[in-house]
Amino acid sequence: MLADFDYFFAQCEELRNPELKDKPVVVGVYSGRTEESGAVSTSNYVARKFGVKSGMPLFLAKRKLEGTDAVFLPVDHEYYDQISERTMQIFRGYATILEQVSVDEAYLDVTEQVSGSYEKAKDYALKMKSQVKAETGISFTVGIGPNKLISKIACDSQKPDGLTIITADEVGCFLSPLPVDRLLGVGKKISAKMDSLGIKTIDELAKFNVQKLFEIFGKTLGLYFHNAANGIDNEPVEESGEALSIGRIGTLKQDSHELEFILQKTDELIDDISKEISEKNLSFKLVGIYAVMTDLSSKSRSVTIEQPAKDRETIKKNAKALLEKFLNESPLALRRVGVKVSGFSREEQKQKQLTSFFQNT
Ligand code: DCP
Ligand code: CA
Ligand code: CA
């Protein structure tokens, strides 16, 4: 089973401000260069009717929504993370294994709970939906299938607040007519390549000579495409185990309000964080700092960066800017200081691996 929160960032914003509900709501990352520059993170379904899409430049979204009472808001990851964590915690009670793949998406192995019955799985999903709605206010979409691949495509096929169940017997009929780009790993380039081979639908891909797929895409990717098109996926649902944020906190040698002195400590912490990030091959979209003052009060600040990054310098640069601003605003000396990065996307990582594999062959 895959659960994916509906228009997540925008739904969170509606949750704390119900007046937004009937208006187009766009949540964006403002790059700060000009008031208009930046990109859309997501939007509610009212805004989507006007053609607003994730990733679109903000000025374009503004143009599409001209003359409406649209509301534009900056991303607030800390708030979305809180809602996500609470909801995932509820999911945990429903699954033997929970594999969180991003802030708004998780696979749940519920095979035992529903004794392998799709009929029971439906009631089970409805029960989950109503408990989550009651406790966090969030609506989400569910896809149920015999494996992760099918659950994911089922989930994507009917949103928002959807519930799509594809039994093992229905897999063939369900997949056949769909375009190949519904499969994870088939992006623009690969679908264009497949198109040139006369493959448009998943059915055409499933029937395509597998040896030829190996020749064209290489063995690993070719086999993946062949299996996926036939609804075969043996990837188990696995506890993510990976933290959703990676951070370090340290105590300063002495209480301080001096930027340069504090940076010596944060640089140490960042070296450590950056080692862990590169070992795990993660990219992050959010850099945050945490400060414990001499009166033991604590504050955190964070910034979203435009493009996912992996490198130490990006953490250092952003942590420094956050600290500098924070010290200007707060007169108290610091006792402890922390740095964290978050906003990892595992799904995106997998997609990238497949795509880069293709580019290398
Ligand atoms: N996101 C982002 N930039 C993108 C795509 C997504 O910042 N280019 C963020 C905002 C989304 C969240 O990730 O709310 C989850 O992404 P989804 O693709 O699941 O999209 P939504 O949850 O917004 O909408 P849907 O109802 O289609 O699932
Ligand atoms: Ca979503
Ligand atoms: Ca998602």
Side-chain angles (χ1 to χ4, degrees):
M1 174 191 288
L2 179 69
D4 183 314
F5 307 160
D6 299 320
Y7 62 101
F8 183 49
F9 294 1
Q11 196 188 169
C12 291
E13 295 296 346
E14 288 182 358
L15 211 57
R16 67 173 156 192
N17 186 0
E19 280 172 24
L20 297 177
K21 252 193 164 338
D22 302 318
K23 300 176 181 171
V25 177
V26 178
V27 179
V29 178
Y30 291 82
S31 63
R33 258 169 253 129
T34 71
E35 211 174 297
E36 294 258 288
S37 68
V40 174
S41 283
T42 194
S43 59
N44 66 359
Y45 281 78
V46 185
R48 290 183 199 193
K49 280 201 195 118
F50 292 89
V52 177
K53 291 201 169 81
S54 291
M56 173 182 278
L58 280 169
F59 75 85
L60 194 56
K62 286 219 166 99
R63 197 181 300 160
K64 288 191 183 285
L65 292 168
E66 223 160 59
T68 72
D69 52 355
V71 178
F72 286 77
L73 296 164
V75 289
D76 179 356
H77 281 285
E78 257 159 63
Y79 168 57
Y80 312 144
D81 285 352
Q82 278 175 17
I83 294 183
S84 166
E85 273 166 33
R86 274 168 54 212
T87 311
M88 293 293 168
Q89 210 49 48
I90 300 174
F91 285 171
R92 237 166 241 295
Y94 280 85
T96 315
I97 310 169
L98 181 86
E99 180 181 358
Q100 188 175 346
V101 284
S102 72
V103 69
D104 88 322
E105 210 169 308
Y107 289 99
L108 293 89
D109 189 337
V110 299
T111 319
E112 276 175 32
Q113 284 82 347
V114 303
S115 4
S117 148
Y118 288 95
E119 197 55 41
K120 281 190 191 157
K122 182 180 172 188
D123 292 338
Y124 200 67
L126 290 172
K127 198 171 129 207
M128 262 173 67
K129 273 168 172 281
S130 65
Q131 191 190 340
V132 168
K133 186 86 194 167
E135 288 183 22
T136 71
I138 282 289
S139 82
F140 60 94
T141 290
V142 174
I144 296 174
N147 57 42
K148 285 179 13 178
L149 173 95
I150 301 300
S151 305
K152 168 81 179 162
I153 302 174
C155 182
D156 288 342
S157 68
Q158 199 203 342
K159 284 182 172 190
D161 201 15
L163 172 55
T164 304
I165 302 175
I166 304 298
T167 67
D169 295 338
E170 291 164 345
V171 167
C173 293
F174 172 65
L175 287 182
S176 289
L178 299 177
V180 285
D181 65 6
R182 293 288 296 275
L183 299 172
L184 182 65
V186 182
K188 274 199 186 116
K189 270 190 190 167
I190 293 182
S191 64
K193 177 80 191 165
M194 288 184 179
D195 197 283
S196 75
L197 298 164
I199 308 171
K200 284 189 167 56
T201 63
I202 294 182
D203 182 47
E204 286 161 348
L205 179 59
K207 290 180 177 145
F208 199 82
N209 183 293
V210 66
Q211 286 304 327
K212 273 199 186 142
L213 282 182
F214 290 174
E215 281 163 32
I216 299 158
F217 297 107
K219 188 124 190 198
T220 312
L221 204 56
L223 186 62
Y224 164 75
F225 289 147
H226 178 75
N227 284 339
N230 284 286
I232 299 165
D233 171 26
N234 295 317
E235 292 276 311
V237 178
E238 285 176 312
E239 281 298 326
S240 335
E242 254 165 37
L244 283 177
S245 70
I246 295 179
R248 298 284 187 275
I249 298 178
T251 304
L252 298 169
K253 288 203 186 77
Q254 62 197 61
D255 296 348
S256 169
H257 194 270
E258 284 288 316
L259 180 64
E260 289 306 321
F261 180 76
I262 298 169
L263 285 177
Q264 287 173 18
K265 187 74 206 174
T266 54
D267 280 356
E268 260 174 50
L269 303 173
I270 291 168
D271 286 345
D272 229 31
I273 293 171
S274 123
K275 222 171 105 193
E276 186 171 340
I277 290 175
S278 75
E279 277 164 8
K280 295 187 172 157
N281 190 29
L282 296 167
S283 15
F284 54 87
K285 277 210 288 203
L286 193 82
V287 178
I289 57 157
Y290 174 76
V292 181
M293 271 62 74
T294 42
D295 66 354
L296 296 184
S297 63
S298 65
K299 286 264 156 55
S300 61
R301 295 278 187 276
S302 63
V303 62
T304 302
I305 52 183
E306 237 176 308
Q307 293 289 331
K310 297 171 155 309
D311 63 299
R312 187 190 332 223
E313 283 317 308
T314 303
I315 312 177
K316 285 196 174 166
K317 197 178 71 192
N318 285 286
K320 182 178 176 184
L322 286 169
L323 256 177
E324 193 164 14
K325 187 151 177 277
F326 179 74
L327 291 171
N328 282 332
E329 291 165 3
S330 161
L332 286 172
L334 269 56
R335 175 187 295 252
R336 282 160 68 73
V337 65
V339 179
K340 79 167 187 185
V341 296
S342 60
F344 311 131
S345 164
R346 289 224 307 163
E347 206 69 49
E348 195 181 282
Q349 296 275 323
K350 279 190 200 165
Q351 202 137 0
K352 250 190 242 146
Q353 280 164 14
L354 282 167
T355 315
S356 62
F357 184 85
F358 174 64
Q359 281 158 353
N360 293 335
T361 51

